[in-house]
Structures are given as structure tokens and as C-alpha cells.
Amino acid sequence: MKKTLNIVLIILLLAGLIGVRFWQEQLFYDPLLVFFEGIYLNAEKLTEINFSKLLISISARFWLNSVLSLSVLFQLFRKSGIVKISFLVYLVVFILLLVGFALVVLNYTSECSLLLFYIRRFLIQPILLLILVPAFYYHRIRSEK
């Protein structure tokens, strides 16, 4: 019964991550969604954006995904140490990427399109979860030997 509940919780948390992606336009301010649908190919500058609102929105989305991802990690491994180290990883990645994102947005040139795209993508998608799950699983297997 406990294992079934754990699986259901993981599925619900993953559904939450999918929901964040599905309702991204309604939940978050992100004019770069339209920009990266094709406008960026010929653009010398970014579309009109509210910089502070964009940073707040990107940050909120990152931390919403992070809370869901950290919850998935806890449900999978049931160790608070994994959640603590993962939180520190998320915090460091957030600070580095948000500073990089802000610098690229403020100093945008057409040559920075892909850099902006990938920094933003890393901030708004739960990519760290896809990296940390196999890493901790591998660590668990190695430590059991």
C-alpha cells in the first residue's frame, strides 16, 4: 500500500510539472515564447519586454518546477540528504543562470539568440530533475555494492 501511494504521489508531481508547461502562457509572463517561435531569426533586438516582470516570472517558474522536482526526488529516494544537496544545486544553478540570463537580455545582440534560448530553457524546464534522478540512482547502486 505504501509503495502504491508513493507511485501515485510521483505521478501527481510529474503531472504538476507537465501542468506548469501546459499552462505556461496563462501562468507566467514570457514574451520570449513568441520571440523564439521564429521572430528571433531576423531580429536585431528583443521584442518589448518588462525586464523586472520577466525576471520575476522566470524565477517563479524555476522555483515552482524546483519544488515539484525536489518533491519527486524525495519520493523516489526517501532521504533528506538528497533533497538538501539537490536544493543547493538548484540554488547555485539558479543564481548563475539568472545572472547570465539578465546579462544576455540587457546586452542582447542577434549573435546571442541561441545562448539566450538555452539559458532560458534551462531556467524554465525541469532539466535538473532529468540529470539528478539518474545521478542519485547510480550513486545508490554504487553505495549498495
Side-chain angles (χ1 to χ4, degrees):
M1 181 69 176
K2 190 175 181 181
K3 189 174 184 176
T4 304
L5 180 61
N6 197 31
I7 291 170
V8 169
L9 283 172
I10 291 169
I11 291 170
L12 289 173
L13 291 165
L14 293 174
L17 288 169
I18 293 168
V20 169
R21 168 75 176 182
F22 186 75
W23 288 294
Q24 67 185 349
E25 292 178 23
Q26 292 82 19
L27 295 172
F28 305 103
Y29 170 77
D30 194 355
L32 297 176
L33 282 171
V34 175
F35 180 76
F36 284 118
E37 287 177 358
I39 297 172
Y40 77 96
L41 294 172
N42 299 321
E44 289 297 317
K45 64 179 193 160
L46 290 174
T47 57
E48 279 296 314
I49 60 170
N50 180 333
F51 181 70
S52 58
K53 191 174 179 181
L54 178 63
L55 285 183
I56 291 168
S57 180
I58 294 284
S59 298
R61 185 167 177 182
F62 178 87
W63 287 110
L64 178 58
N65 282 334
S66 297
V67 167
L68 292 169
S69 297
L70 290 169
S71 300
V72 167
L73 288 170
F74 180 74
Q75 291 302 318
L76 283 173
F77 299 103
R78 292 289 184 183
K79 292 188 177 181
S80 61
I82 285 178
V83 175
K84 288 176 186 175
I85 194 91
S86 298
F87 175 76
L88 290 175
V89 169
Y90 275 93
L91 183 62
V92 169
V93 166
F94 173 73
I95 292 168
L96 293 174
L97 289 178
L98 194 67
V99 168
F101 178 78
L103 290 173
V104 172
V105 167
L106 292 173
N107 301 304
Y108 181 80
T109 63
S110 60
E111 293 85 27
C112 296
S113 295
L114 284 177
L115 179 62
L116 179 61
F117 177 81
Y118 287 115
I119 291 174
R120 182 183 151 277
R121 178 68 56 204
F122 211 94
L123 281 166
I124 67 172
Q125 301 299 332
I127 295 169
L128 281 177
L129 180 64
L130 298 175
I131 295 168
L132 292 174
V133 167
F136 288 128
Y137 183 71
Y138 177 77
H139 174 50
R140 184 172 78 180
I141 290 172
R142 296 293 292 167
S143 65
E144 289 174 357
K145 288 185 177 182

